[in-house]
C-alpha cells in the first residue's frame, strides 16, 4: 500500500506541473480543441509516466577471487519487526474515505440522470440524438446522446439551446467528463485535478457556444440567453448544460480574436516535463558476466550480419546436436522455407556463447526484413465522399453572417395560408454545401407547418453559392443547419419607404388591428434607443438606415396596454 501511495503522490506532482504550465501558456488562447487535448493528456500522462521506467543495462565482468574457508554455521531465529510506519494506516483510511466519497458522489449523479431519462418521454431525432422531455422544472442539459428539456422548453423550443446541446454531443464532451470523474477518486486530495476539471468544462462550453453561433444564431440574442440561463442551477454534475461555467469568461471568449495556430506551439512545454519525469524514474540494471569457463576465457559475444545466400537446407552446427531457431522472437525447428531475400541478419550462438545467454543448446537467431504494408487503391468513383459536420475551415456565406441575415430577410415571404391561420414558429433546415460551394440536399430537421416548411426549403435551396469548407486544404462537403424564423406580432414597428429616398422614409408604430390610414394607437410605449430611454418622436425621426434591429415587448396594465420598444442602431 505504501508503494501505491508513493505512486499516487508522483501522479499528483505531475498533474500540478502540467496544469501550471497550461495555465501560464495556453489557458487564454482560443485554441479550444488543442486546450481540451492538453488537459485530457495531462490527466492521462500523469498516471502513465510513473509506470514508465527506463532501464539502462550495465555489464560487469566478475573478477576471480581466492578460495575462502568458512567455519561452522549456526542458525538463529530472529523475530521480524514491523516494517510499516505507524502513520501509514491512518493515512490509508483517510485516502480511502475520500476516494469512496468521490465515487459515490459521481455515481449518484449518473444514476439520477439514468433514472430521469428512463421515466421521461423520449423523442428520437434524425441526427441520432434523443430529446428527453421531463415534467420537472429542469435546466436544459445533455448527456451522451440525450438532450433533456423541461415540458415548457420543449413546447417552445429555442434553436440556440438545441444547437448548444447538440454541440456538446457532437464533440463527445460526456466522455471527457466521465474520464475525469474516473481519475478524480485517485486524486481527490489534489487541488490541481479539481481546477483541471473546471477548466475542461469551460472549454466544453466554449466549443458548444462556437457550435451554436456557427448555426447562424444572433450573437447578442445568444448572450442574452446565457444571462437568462445563468440563473438556473444544474443538479447533475456529470451532465453538460448551457448554464455551466462562468458567464463572463464565456462572453469574453466569444468576443476574443481567434488565436494564431503558431501560438499552439507552446504546447511543446510537455516535452521537457516528460523528459525530466522519465529521467527521475530511470534505473540501472547491472549484469555480471563470468570471466572464465572450463575451456578458458569466454570472449564477448559479437553479432554477425552475414546472410546465407540460399537456405535450401536447414542450417546445422559443427556437431550433431540440436539447434534452436529463433525467428523474430519466435522459436522454430526449421527455417528452410524462409526465402533468403526475406532475411535481414543471422546470429549464431554456439557452445559457451549460447550458455552465456541462458540457452542449453546452440541457437541461430534470424531477423527478417520489415515488409511495407500494401496500400489498396480505392477508385474515387467507388469511394463514398465523406460529409463533414465540422472541418478545419467551415463554409462561409459571401459577406459573412450579416449578409446571410440580410439575404434571409429579403427573400423569406410569409405564406398566405400560414398568415391567415396565424401560424408561426422556427423551422430548422439542414443542407449540404458541396466542394463547389453549392447548396444541396436541403431537408427539414425540425418543422412547424407545411407551408412554412416549404417556404424555408425554397429560400435555402435557391441560396447563392457559399465559399466551400476546407479540410487539409481541400474543399469538402459540409452539412450545415440554419434556422428560419416565421413570427407574427400583434404590435408592429413599421418602416415606410417612399421612392427609396431617405428623406421620404419614416417610422411609425401601429397595432395590427388598427387601420393603417390613420396610424392611431391606444397603446402606451416606452421607447429605448441603444438602451437609453427616449420618446416616440425621436424614434420616428430616426433614419431607418441607421437601425440594426428593433424588439417589441407588449404587456397589459389593467384596461390599458403598455409596451417597451427597444431600438439598437448600427455601430
Amino acid at each position: 500500500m505504501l508503494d501505491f501511495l508513493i505512486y499516487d503522490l508522483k501522479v499528483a506532482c505531475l498533474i500540478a506541473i502540467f496544469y501550471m504550465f497550461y495555465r501560464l501558456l495556453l489557458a487564454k488562447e482560443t485554441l479550444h480543441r488543442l486546450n481540451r487535448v492538453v488537459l485530457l493528456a495531462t490527466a492521462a500522462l500523469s498516471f502513465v509516466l510513473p509506470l514508465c521506467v527506463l532501464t539502462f543495462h550495465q555489464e560487469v565482468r566478475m573478477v576471480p577471487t581466492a578460495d575462502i574457508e568458512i567455519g561452522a554455521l549456526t542458525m538463529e531465529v530472529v523475530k521480524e519487526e514491523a516494517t510499516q510506519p505507524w502513520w501509514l494506516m491512518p493515512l490509508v483510511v483517510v485516502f480511502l474515505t475520500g476516494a469512496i466519497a468521490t465515487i459515490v458522489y459521481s455515481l449518484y449523479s449518473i444514476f439520477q440522470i439514468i433514472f430521469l431519462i428512463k421515466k421521461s418521454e423520449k423523442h428520437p431525432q434524425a441526427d441520432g440524438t434523443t430529446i428527453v422531455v421531463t415534467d420537472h422544472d429542469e435546466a436544459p442539459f445533455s448527456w451522451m446522446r440525450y438532450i433533456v428539456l423541461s415540458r415548457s422548453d420543449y413546447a417552445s423550443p429555442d434553436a440556440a439551446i438545441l444547437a448548444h446541446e447538440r454541440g456538446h454531443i457532437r464533440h463527445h464532451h460526456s466522455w471527457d467528463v466521465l474520464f475525469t470523474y474516473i481519475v478524480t477518486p485517485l486524486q481527490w486530495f489534489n487541488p490541481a485535478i479539481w481546477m483541471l476539471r473546471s477548466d475542461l468544462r469551460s472549454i466544453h462550453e466554449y466549443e458548444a457556444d462556437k457550435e451554436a453561433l456557427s448555426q447562424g444564431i444572433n450573437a447578442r440574442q445568444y448572450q442574452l440567453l446565457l444571462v437568462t440561463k445563468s440563473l438556473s442551477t444544474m443538479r447533475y454534475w456529470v451532465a453538460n448544460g448551457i448554464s455551466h461555467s462562468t458567464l463572463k469568461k464565456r462572453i469574453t471568449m466569444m468576443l476574443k480574436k481567434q488565436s494564431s495556430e503558431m501560438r499552439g506551439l507552446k504546447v511543446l512545454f510537455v516535452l521537457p516535463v516528460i523528459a525530466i519525469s522519465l529521467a527521475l524514474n530511470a534505473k540501472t540494471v547491472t549484469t555480471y558476466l563470468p570471466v572464465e569457463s572450463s575451456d578458458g576465457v569466454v570472449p564477448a559475444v559479437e553479432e554477425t550480419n552475414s546472410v546465407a545466400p540460399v537456405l535450401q537446407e536447414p542450417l546445422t552446427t559443427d556437431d550433431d546436436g540440436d539447434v534452436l531457431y529463433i525467428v523474430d522472437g519466435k522459436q522454430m525447428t526449421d527455417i528452410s522455407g524462409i526465402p533468403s531475400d526475406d532475411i535481414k541478419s543471422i546470429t549464431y550462438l554456439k557452445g559457451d556463447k549460447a550458455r552465456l545467454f541462458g540457452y542449453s543448446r546452440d541457437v541461430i537467431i534470424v531477423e527478417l526484413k520489415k515488409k511495407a504494408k500494401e496500400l489498396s487503391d480505392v477508385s474515387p468513383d467507388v469511394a463514398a465522399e465523406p460529409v463533414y459536420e465540422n472541418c478545419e475551415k467551415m463554409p462561409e456565406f459571401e459577406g459573412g453572417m450579416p449578409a446571410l441575415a440580410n439575404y434571409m430577410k429579403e427573400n423569406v415571404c410569409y405564406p398566405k395560408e400560414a398568415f391567415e391561420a396565424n401560424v408561426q414558429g422556427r423551422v430548422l433546415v439542414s443542407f449540404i454545401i458541396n466542394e463547389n460551394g453549392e447548396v444541396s440536399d436541403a431537408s427539414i430537421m425540425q418543422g412547424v407547418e407545411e407551408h412554412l416548411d416549404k417556404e424555408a426549403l425554397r429560400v435555402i435551396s435557391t441560396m447563392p453559392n457559399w465559399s466551400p469548407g476546407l479540410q487539409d486544404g481541400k474543399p469538402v462537403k459540409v452539412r450545415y443547419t440554419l434556422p428560419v424564423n416565421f413570427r407574427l406580432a400583434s404590435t408592429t414597428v413599421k418602416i415606410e419607404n417612399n421612392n427609396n429616398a431617405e428623406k421620404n422614409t419614416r417610422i411609425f408604430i401601429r397595432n395590427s388591428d388598427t387601420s393603417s390610414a390613420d396610424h392611431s394607437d391606444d397603446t402606451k410605449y416606452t421607447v429605448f434607443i441603444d438602451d437609453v430611454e427616449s420618446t416616440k418622436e425621436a424614434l420616428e425621426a430616426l433614419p431607418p438606415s441607421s437601425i440594426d434591429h428593433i424588439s417589441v415587448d407588449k404587456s397589459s396594465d389593467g384596461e390599458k396596454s403598455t409596451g417597451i420598444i427597444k431600438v439598437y442602431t448600427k455601430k
Side-chain angles (χ1 to χ4, degrees), residues 268-323:
L268 296 178
F269 76 82
V270 301
L271 298 181
V273 177
I274 293 174
I276 293 173
S277 172
L278 293 176
L280 293 176
N281 214 29
K283 68 177 182 179
T284 301
V285 175
T286 302
T287 302
Y288 295 94
L289 301 179
V291 174
E292 293 184 348
S293 66
S294 58
D295 297 331
V297 178
V298 179
V301 177
E302 296 179 357
E303 290 190 359
T304 62
N305 293 324
S306 59
V307 179
V310 180
L311 291 178
Q312 301 293 341
E313 300 293 335
L315 291 175
T316 59
T317 58
D318 293 338
D319 53 27
D320 296 331
D322 293 335
V323 178

Side-chain angles (χ1 to χ4, degrees), residues 358-561:
Y359 297 106
S360 59
R361 51 180 170 164
D362 293 352
V363 178
I364 295 177
I365 301 174
V366 179
E367 182 182 358
L368 301 179
K369 296 177 181 178
K370 302 296 181 182
K371 293 185 177 180
K373 295 183 178 179
E374 298 180 358
L375 300 177
S376 57
D377 296 329
V378 181
S379 173
D381 296 330
V382 177
E385 297 179 1
V387 178
Y388 290 82
E389 294 285 345
N390 290 288
C391 58
E392 293 176 354
K393 185 178 186 301
M394 293 295 289
E396 186 174 352
F397 190 86
E398 188 68 24
M401 283 302 171
L404 176 59
N406 290 334
Y407 169 83
M408 300 299 293
K409 291 177 183 177
E410 293 172 4
N411 290 273
V412 173
C413 299
Y414 215 109
K416 179 181 177 182
E417 297 82 358
F419 179 82
E420 294 176 347
N422 197 31
V423 178
Q424 56 184 344
R426 176 174 293 179
V427 181
L428 283 180
V429 183
S430 174
F431 55 94
I432 292 176
I433 301 170
N434 63 22
E435 300 90 333
N436 300 321
E438 299 169 348
V439 176
S440 63
D441 299 325
S443 61
I444 301 296
M445 283 187 63
Q446 179 179 319
V448 176
E449 184 264 350
E450 178 185 1
H451 297 92
L452 297 183
D453 295 350
K454 288 182 178 179
E455 176 61 12
L457 283 176
R458 181 193 68 81
V459 174
I460 297 298
S461 300
T462 58
M463 196 179 293
N465 288 0
W466 293 45
S467 298
L470 300 177
Q471 183 71 22
D472 296 330
K474 298 180 181 179
V476 293
K477 292 181 179 179
V478 181
R479 181 169 297 281
Y480 212 90
T481 304
L482 195 66
V484 182
N485 294 313
F486 295 90
R487 181 161 298 176
L488 296 171
S490 59
T491 302
T492 307
V493 177
K494 184 175 181 182
I495 301 176
E496 193 175 72
N497 195 326
N498 297 322
N499 301 324
N500 294 325
E502 182 74 27
K503 63 181 180 179
N504 294 326
T505 303
R506 65 193 185 93
I507 303 172
F508 62 88
I509 305 168
R510 68 179 179 87
N511 284 338
S512 59
D513 55 355
T514 305
S515 174
S516 60
D518 56 6
H519 306 303
S520 62
D521 187 12
D522 295 331
T523 305
K524 291 183 177 179
Y525 292 96
T526 302
V527 177
F528 289 87
I529 299 178
D530 290 334
D531 295 325
V532 178
E533 187 172 351
S534 187
T535 62
K536 181 178 177 181
E537 290 75 15
L539 171 60
E540 294 177 349
L542 197 63
S545 61
S546 66
I547 295 176
D548 181 49
H549 64 278
I550 301 174
S551 64
V552 180
D553 182 14
K554 185 178 179 181
S555 59
S556 178
D557 183 12
E559 298 179 355
K560 197 67 177 176
S561 296

Side-chain angles (χ1 to χ4, degrees), residues 64-70:
T65 59
D67 294 335
I68 301 176
E69 274 190 18
I70 303 177

Side-chain angles (χ1 to χ4, degrees), residues 12-28 38-39 42-43 46 190-193 195-196 199 266 269-270 273 276:
C13 294
L14 283 173
I15 291 177
I17 294 171
F18 277 121
Y19 181 73
M20 178 187 67
F21 279 104
Y22 163 79
R23 292 289 297 177
L24 290 174
L25 300 176
L26 289 172
K28 295 183 180 179
V38 169
L39 290 180
T42 291
S46 298
N190 185 4
I193 194 68
M195 291 188 287
L196 183 148
D199 279 9
K266 292 189 288 186
F269 76 82
V270 301
V273 177
I276 293 173

